[in-house]
Amino acid sequence: MPGPTSPLLRLVSAIALPALLSLLPVLGAAPASAQPETGTGAREERVTPAEHYAALLAQQPEGAAVVVDDALAGRYDPEELEADLHDSFGALDVPYHVVASPFPGAEQQWGGDVLPALVDRVGADGLYVLLQPGSVPRALAEGVDLPVEAAADTVFYAPGTDYYGTPLGEVADAFTAALADPDAQATADRYRQEYSSDQGPTAWEEFLGDLDPTTSVGPENLGFLVSTATGALLTLSLFHVGWRLRRGGSTVAAVAVASVFGLALPAAGVAGALHYMDSVPLGANELPDPLERARSQPPYVPSTVRVERVAEGLGDGSVYADPLSPLSREGLADVAERAERSSVPVYAVLLPMAGTDESEGDPERFAHALHHVLGEDGVYAVITQEAYEETPETTVLAFGVDLDTYYLGQALDEGEAATPAQELALLLEAVEELPRDPEAADPVPYDTSTDPLEPRTERFWEDFWAGALFLGPIIGAALLGAVLGTVALVRVSLVRRRRQPSPRALRRTAERERARLAALISSDRAGRLPVAMMPSVEAALMVVDADPDDLDLVGVAVVSRRAHATVEDPGSAETSPCMLNPLHGPAEAFKRAGPRDRRGLFPVCRACAGLTEQQRASAVLRVRDGAGTRREHLSMNERAWVQYRFGAKDPARMAKRLMEEIDAR
């Protein structure tokens, strides 16, 4: 079916053939919509996109019309895409009028929204659709009952839909499937709700995405992660060997553990990562891009369909205005006549550009392609428009005419022209005024790399040793420090929690020990108590009835336990209790402990002897004094309990002092 790739005279006959014939000597084979103004000075009205596409749709079978703009030929085969669109929309069993084009936009420079105007121009019932790369289909239903808005929402909100990169044929399939859905509105609402509630990828999903081998950085990230883990494990293994040897452990066992965790496990991780990378199929960016390869060599575009149409439109003339260019044609005919008299050939084209056309929206690349197709040296100018404006933007290249492209472009930049005719007039003046330079080099197209990404294995090893030898050991050491620090804090916390009983717990302990002590005194075992211990035993029983404070409660418990221990082992009568915490039991060693102003050697139990000096400082029993202030009990040296080590020293003197303290209360 004919589309934008059809011979231009078919479009001309549908629009303004008589006017075109009168101007062919000036503009060659330009279509009617590209006519410049006549010599009267009145502005020639250009054809709107709706008029242009309506004329092309009129050439299609009634009720089954599809037009594929030739600007899409760089990424699509226009005939194949046209056939696919017929298959998709033909299944709806309603009249359809479909335009696939990267143009136009909906702004005023294009004449506003093209679809309502297209409906007015065609004037027939049916489905009207505009398909643009990277956009949701836009549609109007005239005289047919189709949920076009719900279908568009379905395509936009459907999970996993990527209409930006999806081929137009697949977008059309999804759109027509939504149009045929009897519950289209409910489906669209459900997708919209899921879309609005979607919180995006989780941190874990983003992490896995960063390791995807098909991405440019995935293998490098994976290698760096594995290498960092390798360095950390090796560092931890070496620390383990040193720790085991320092504690007198087996060298063989230490080396065996280090070999497993420092060598075997990292090697398995590397092998697993490499196997995983090899198991994932190559992505598009890892394979040679045929489009990029085509753009790296003449004609510098993957398709010359539109370029050839433009070349045909130039004919024997110098100026061509594309039907879809929104720029003004005012004064263009006069300037075109001047261009025919230029000292060097000048070829100027008014052309709309889009990022999805054969030139990727690059006017310079189109100029190179046009020069290749025409095969003529000269000055080539591609006049496009700035976004959302009607201001011309001109790209100019000079081939084989002893003119420097840079100075031609500079002359246009300094001229500040407001219309294409003014822009072209400035260019013609520059062509005549600029000095000829026989050494001026022809412009070279922008270098488009055709090389795919490096092999995954090379990227995997790129930063491996930086992670294994630098970051990994740092993380391993930091992890070890964090673990040891945490263990130390937990140990200190447990020590404090275990050795710092609450006042309520002290009272329960004291009452229980007082009952045990009273029972011992009343039993026949009382005779086994040393006579020297009896004063401290009697004083302890009396203290409980005299409003005891925390230190008194500790003393009662310690005296009771010492008395019971002496009954079992008479040799323990003079053994001092642990002075870090007398509730621990008998002391077995002397270690530095105590408050800063009274630090010295104190008898401590076996458990406290195994602590560091700092840990022992934090493990000293803290109790409330008479004023309710929590203090280290060793700082209460004025109290009889502390001064006489809870009866281990001079128990008779301690008992006397306790009675004095009771009387003082």
Side-chain angles (χ1 to χ4, degrees):
M1 297 181 184
T5 62
S6 304
L8 292 176
L9 291 180
R10 299 184 66 174
L11 171 63
V12 170
S13 63
I15 303 179
L17 181 59
L20 172 70
L21 295 176
S22 67
L23 290 172
L24 280 177
V26 178
L27 294 182
S33 59
Q35 294 178 34
E37 64 173 10
T38 64
T40 63
R43 176 175 179 176
E44 181 76 17
E45 291 295 332
R46 64 178 176 82
V47 175
T48 66
E51 293 173 316
H52 173 70
Y53 288 124
L56 296 177
L57 288 170
Q59 301 173 34
Q60 302 287 317
E62 184 177 354
V66 173
V67 169
V68 177
D69 197 291
D70 58 10
L72 294 175
R75 299 192 178 190
Y76 300 92
D77 182 307
E79 293 183 358
E80 290 183 5
L81 179 57
E82 183 178 338
D84 291 342
L85 296 181
H86 276 296
D87 291 342
S88 297
F89 290 95
L92 295 174
D93 198 24
V94 298
Y96 57 89
H97 311 83
V98 180
V99 174
S101 169
F103 322 112
E107 57 268 19
Q108 281 303 118
Q109 64 178 350
W110 292 99
D113 194 347
V114 69
L115 275 181
L118 192 62
V119 172
D120 292 340
R121 290 279 174 183
V122 175
D125 288 344
L127 175 66
Y128 292 79
V129 182
L130 176 61
L131 293 173
Q132 295 175 286
S135 297
V136 174
R138 296 162 57 198
L140 290 176
E142 294 294 323
V144 294
D145 186 17
L146 289 175
V148 292
E149 294 184 2
D153 286 345
T154 298
V155 174
F156 181 84
Y157 294 110
T161 299
D162 177 22
Y163 54 83
Y164 286 104
T166 303
L168 287 179
E170 296 181 19
V171 172
D173 289 341
F175 184 60
T176 53
L179 288 172
D181 184 1
D183 298 321
Q185 189 60 57
T187 302
D189 292 341
R190 184 176 74 255
Y191 286 165
R192 185 186 297 107
Q193 184 176 3
E194 293 174 356
Y195 182 89
S196 60
S197 61
D198 185 10
Q199 300 299 318
T202 63
W204 176 248
E205 290 172 338
E206 291 183 352
F207 173 75
L208 293 180
D210 291 337
L211 301 179
D212 185 356
T214 62
T215 63
S216 60
V217 297
E220 183 178 350
N221 289 339
L222 185 60
F224 192 68
L225 176 65
V226 173
S227 67
T228 301
T230 296
L233 286 173
L234 182 59
T235 301
L236 292 173
S237 299
L238 293 177
F239 271 112
H240 176 263
V241 170
W243 177 76
R244 288 291 297 267
L245 295 179
R246 183 178 179 183
R247 294 178 64 90
S250 171
T251 303
V252 175
V255 172
V257 171
S259 299
V260 171
F261 288 95
L263 297 177
L265 190 59
V270 171
L274 293 174
H275 174 73
Y276 164 67
M277 287 197 308
D278 291 340
S279 67
V280 179
L282 293 177
N285 59 346
E286 297 177 284
L287 298 171
D289 188 344
L291 294 180
E292 296 295 342
R293 177 175 296 175
R295 294 187 179 105
S296 66
Q297 54 192 358
Y300 309 113
V301 291
S303 171
T304 59
V305 171
R306 186 166 68 145
V307 181
E308 291 173 358
R309 174 171 64 82
V310 171
E312 183 181 354
L314 282 168
D316 295 329
S318 297
V319 180
Y320 170 77
D322 189 89
L324 289 178
S325 174
L327 295 173
S328 168
R329 274 66 162 170
E330 182 179 359
L332 201 57
D334 295 338
V335 180
E337 292 179 1
R338 289 176 54 192
E340 295 294 333
R341 300 189 297 270
S342 174
S343 61
V344 299
V346 174
Y347 306 98
V349 178
L350 276 67
L351 193 72
M353 303 293 290
T356 52
D357 63 22
E358 77 290 316
S359 306
E360 287 193 313
D362 183 359
E364 182 175 333
R365 186 171 298 281
F366 188 91
H368 278 285
L370 184 59
H371 170 244
H372 177 83
V373 170
L374 285 178
E376 301 288 344
D377 286 338
V379 175
Y380 287 77
V382 179
I383 306 175
T384 59
Q385 72 282 350
E386 295 184 1
Y388 301 98
E389 297 180 9
E390 296 186 11
T391 305
E393 185 74 21
T394 302
T395 298
V396 59
L397 301 178
F399 298 93
V401 291
D402 297 338
L403 287 171
D404 194 308
T405 295
Y406 172 78
Y407 293 110
L408 290 173
Q410 187 179 47
L412 295 180
D413 292 339
E414 294 175 351
E416 298 182 356
T419 66
Q422 295 174 2
E423 193 91 329
L424 185 53
L426 290 173
L427 177 60
L428 294 175
E429 292 175 5
V431 166
E432 303 302 332
E433 295 175 0
L434 288 175
R436 296 296 190 264
D437 182 5
E439 297 183 0
D442 287 351
V444 179
Y446 176 76
D447 182 23
T448 301
S449 175
T450 59
D451 295 332
L453 293 172
E454 295 178 346
R456 293 176 181 176
T457 304
E458 292 185 15
R459 287 180 282 151
F460 178 86
W461 293 105
E462 186 172 340
D463 292 329
F464 187 89
W465 298 114
L469 302 179
F470 180 69
L471 184 60
I474 292 178
I475 291 179
L479 181 62
L480 181 64
V483 171
L484 293 179
T486 301
V487 170
L489 290 175
V490 170
R491 186 175 180 182
V492 169
S493 176
L494 292 176
V495 167
R496 286 181 175 177
R497 185 174 300 177
R498 181 169 57 87
R499 305 194 180 194
Q500 303 296 335
S502 66
R504 182 176 300 178
L506 280 177
R507 180 165 293 278
R508 289 198 301 268
T509 300
E511 290 176 351
R512 183 174 61 253
E513 292 297 338
R514 179 181 183 275
R516 290 182 65 219
L517 184 58
L520 176 61
I521 296 300
S522 303
S523 69
D524 55 2
R525 295 189 300 161
R528 298 168 60 181
L529 285 172
V531 176
M533 185 177 285
M534 291 305 296
S536 59
V537 171
E538 295 172 353
L541 294 173
M542 295 176 63
V543 163
V544 178
D545 299 324
D547 190 21
D549 59 14
D550 287 357
L551 188 59
D552 291 325
L553 298 176
V554 173
V556 171
V558 172
V559 168
S560 173
R561 292 173 180 176
R562 290 186 66 245
H564 282 84
T566 302
V567 169
E568 299 297 329
D569 180 13
S572 65
E574 296 182 359
T575 301
S576 172
C578 175
M579 290 306 292
L580 258 62
N581 189 331
L583 297 174
H584 287 175
E588 297 187 8
F590 280 85
K591 295 290 182 179
R592 289 185 59 82
R596 292 183 180 179
D597 57 348
R598 195 168 170 268
R599 184 156 300 183
L601 291 175
F602 286 90
V604 296
C605 64
R606 178 181 299 178
C608 291
L611 301 177
T612 65
E613 185 172 343
Q614 181 180 1
Q615 291 171 337
R616 284 195 297 271
S618 64
V620 175
L621 178 64
R622 299 172 65 87
V623 294
R624 296 181 303 176
D625 59 14
T629 303
R630 292 190 69 87
R631 297 168 54 187
E632 293 180 348
H633 80 283
L634 290 177
S635 66
M636 303 179 187
N637 193 46
E638 74 283 358
R639 299 287 297 273
W641 293 114
V642 178
Q643 189 174 2
Y644 295 100
R645 296 186 183 175
F646 298 87
K649 288 174 54 178
D650 200 350
R653 181 60 181 164
M654 185 191 76
K656 181 179 180 181
R657 287 282 306 279
L658 284 175
M659 294 300 101
E660 293 174 355
E661 291 178 6
I662 292 175
D663 293 340
R665 296 174 189 170

